[in-house]
Amino acid sequence: LLLGLAVMAAIVCTSCLVQFEDASLLRSHYKCDWHLYNAKRKLQSLPPIPKDIFEGKAAAVRAEDAKGKKKGTDHLLDKTREPKPKPEPRYDEPEEGDTGEEATLPQRPLEEPWVPGRSLFDNTKFDTFEESLEYMWTEFSFFIPDAEYCTDKEGLVRALAALIQEPPHICINCSATFKTASGCRKHMLAKGHTQVGSSNDEMLGEMEPFYDF
């Protein structure tokens, strides 16, 4: 009976197929590169790789980087890869009264309320929410962490959009704040902060209502 209760109480990361005794250990696991790599493999319908194999591949990547030789394996470690170019957001036309001196009068990005199907990082819109998720993954490497535990994906993305669009305009990765939504997005694109900061306690608190572990 006790053994059965222990098994029931265990928590499993379905991205890496490993088991934990409590949620705090699972949250710590979410911070490691191995989990993030397997989470991306799962999104592509690929099986997870064991930790020892991942660490071997990661060590090989670091060794090649140290020699200045790039062999196309940088995707194994998010922290060592160069961020890929991101699409530029659309901007408003100058308002009446503007002098046209763009060097001194910054333009403002178009800002519309978020609706399902709209990208978090630019104004690209799609007919379905799923299409927008695929676009954000392809163009910005954005994905919903541990999607199998997320009970309201659309609600989660809506909450992330509110963090960006509404004061104090919070980065979804590092929780830095900005004066405008435009400034927040420029920071996220420049820093590669287009993934949810699952190692950030503040962001974990924002995400918690949308998950059932």
Side-chain angles (χ1 to χ4, degrees):
L1 178 60
L2 292 176
L3 178 61
L5 291 175
V7 172
M8 291 175 61
I11 299 176
V12 176
C13 171
T14 58
S15 293
C16 301
L17 299 183
V18 291
Q19 184 172 288
F20 301 91
E21 294 181 357
D22 57 56
S24 63
L25 294 176
L26 181 64
R27 286 194 292 269
S28 296
H29 168 71
Y30 288 159
K31 301 176 184 180
C32 71
D33 291 323
W34 175 45
H35 168 77
L36 294 176
Y37 180 60
N38 276 334
K40 292 181 179 180
R41 285 179 63 85
K42 184 175 182 179
L43 287 174
Q44 299 175 35
S45 299
L46 297 173
I49 65 172
K51 186 175 183 180
D52 58 339
I53 294 178
F54 172 80
E55 290 178 344
K57 290 178 178 291
V61 171
R62 293 191 186 98
E64 291 300 326
D65 286 348
K67 296 177 183 178
K69 297 178 181 179
K70 300 295 183 180
K71 295 186 177 181
T73 55
D74 290 315
H75 65 283
L76 291 173
L77 288 175
D78 289 343
K79 295 180 180 178
T80 62
R81 71 180 181 183
E82 292 294 327
K84 61 184 179 181
K86 309 297 184 184
E88 291 293 329
R90 293 189 294 120
Y91 289 92
D92 281 330
E93 295 296 326
E95 298 178 353
E96 290 186 11
D98 284 349
T99 63
E101 297 177 358
E102 296 182 358
T104 58
L105 294 177
Q107 295 173 320
R108 297 179 301 169
L110 290 171
E111 199 59 56
E112 302 172 0
W114 185 86
V115 294
R118 178 184 173 188
S119 167
L120 291 173
F121 308 107
D122 57 21
N123 285 318
T124 304
K125 295 180 181 178
F126 297 89
D127 293 333
T128 67
F129 175 66
E130 289 72 21
E131 287 178 305
S132 69
L133 287 182
E134 178 63 26
Y135 169 77
M136 289 190 288
W137 161 249
T138 301
E139 297 296 332
F140 304 102
S141 299
F142 171 85
F143 64 96
I144 295 178
D146 297 285
E148 67 274 12
Y149 290 115
C150 184
T151 57
D152 184 3
K153 296 178 183 178
E154 187 175 305
L156 173 62
V157 176
R158 186 184 300 277
L160 295 176
L163 290 177
I164 297 169
Q165 291 183 303
E166 300 174 5
H169 307 294
I170 300 174
C171 170
I172 64 173
N173 183 277
C174 69
S175 296
T177 59
F178 298 86
K179 293 182 179 179
T180 65
S182 173
C184 183
R185 287 195 182 91
K186 288 179 180 178
H187 158 84
M188 290 190 292
L189 296 176
K191 297 292 185 180
H193 285 187
T194 52
Q195 298 176 357
V196 180
S198 56
S199 62
N200 181 324
D201 289 341
E202 185 173 342
M203 287 306 304
L204 286 175
E206 295 285 349
M207 294 164 58
E208 186 174 2
F210 304 98
Y211 284 82
D212 183 13
F213 292 110

